[in-house]
Amino acid sequence: MTEQQILKAWKHDSRGAMRALYDCYAGCAWTVARRYLADDGDAEDVIQDSFLKVYDHIGRFSYRGEGSLRSWLMSIVVHEAIDLLKRRQRLVFTEQPIETGETADPQPANVPIEALLAMIRRLPAGYRAVFNLYVFEQQSHREIADTLGIKESSSASQFHRARKMLAQMINEYTKTKER
């Protein structure tokens, strides 16, 4: 079903349209939630809450072409995941300056996507949130700072540390696979 068909069906049978929406996007929502949350149970809670929020607010949604419904849903998943992190895990952000020195960019070309996602999930919650917002949601450090209630410099610092830690994990993975 296309997004336009789902939205049209919503006017006549919201239950069936909700099922169609879930069938189309639950997998994507699961992937997004798991990038932010280390616990699968938390990811399931976020997905459920996100679909309920869509159900409650679909009347306010403005269709802007194919993909806009998916984008809207995924942004809800991101916000729900961050809200849950704030509530349950007390995101900790360091205010220390960024360490100087060369940091190799992660080279994930030969790393399976499942392994990369597992590595991202192993990042500390604060690093993981900033990394995901910057890389996947393409937010600026100013936007991330506003979202998370931190300083812009803290966002940049957390991203730098996350990238460095991820590069180390990728290097370790690559070394073990070469043996």
Side-chain angles (χ1 to χ4, degrees):
M1 242 181 158
T2 68
E3 290 182 353
Q4 213 166 15
Q5 290 170 326
I6 290 171
L7 292 168
K8 188 175 181 179
W10 203 281
K11 294 177 183 176
H12 304 297
D13 176 18
S14 62
R15 189 173 178 181
M18 183 65 157
R19 183 73 213 178
L21 181 69
Y22 182 85
D23 290 345
C24 285
Y25 298 120
C28 293
W30 176 249
T31 299
V32 170
R34 290 187 72 218
R35 272 199 335 254
Y36 284 87
L37 304 162
D39 181 76
D40 287 348
D42 287 344
E44 289 172 4
D45 290 345
V46 161
I47 291 167
Q48 181 179 357
D49 292 345
S50 297
F51 277 97
L52 289 173
K53 191 166 270 191
V54 166
Y55 185 81
D56 289 342
H57 301 323
I58 194 81
R60 296 186 216 162
F61 173 71
S62 176
Y63 182 74
R64 295 186 186 114
E66 198 64 28
S68 60
L69 183 58
R70 179 187 184 278
S71 265
W72 181 60
L73 171 59
M74 294 310 128
S75 71
I76 291 171
V77 172
V78 167
H79 289 289
E80 289 295 312
I82 289 171
D83 287 349
L84 186 130
L85 284 171
K86 286 178 178 178
R87 282 192 317 267
R88 292 193 184 166
Q89 294 184 345
R90 290 187 174 178
L91 292 175
V92 177
F93 300 99
T94 61
E95 298 292 332
Q96 300 169 352
I98 297 174
E99 301 130 11
T100 57
E102 291 298 313
T103 301
D105 283 334
Q107 300 297 320
N110 296 322
V111 180
I113 190 71
E114 298 82 19
L116 280 173
L117 291 174
M119 290 175 203
I120 291 169
R121 289 182 83 193
R122 288 183 13 222
L123 293 171
Y127 292 8
R128 189 173 55 244
V130 170
F131 182 84
N132 280 308
L133 289 168
Y134 189 83
V135 172
F136 296 103
E137 312 311 325
Q138 299 180 342
Q139 290 188 6
S140 69
H141 287 300
R142 175 173 284 148
E143 292 169 316
I144 295 168
D146 290 344
T147 298
L148 299 177
I150 59 176
K151 295 178 183 175
E152 192 173 338
S153 61
S154 295
S155 174
S157 175
Q158 299 299 303
F159 176 72
H160 174 77
R161 288 183 177 94
R163 196 178 79 196
K164 187 174 183 177
M165 186 179 276
L166 191 57
Q168 290 171 342
M169 285 188 253
I170 289 169
N171 289 337
E172 289 171 16
Y173 179 88
T174 304
K175 286 177 187 174
T176 60
K177 292 299 175 184
E178 289 174 354
R179 293 180 190 159

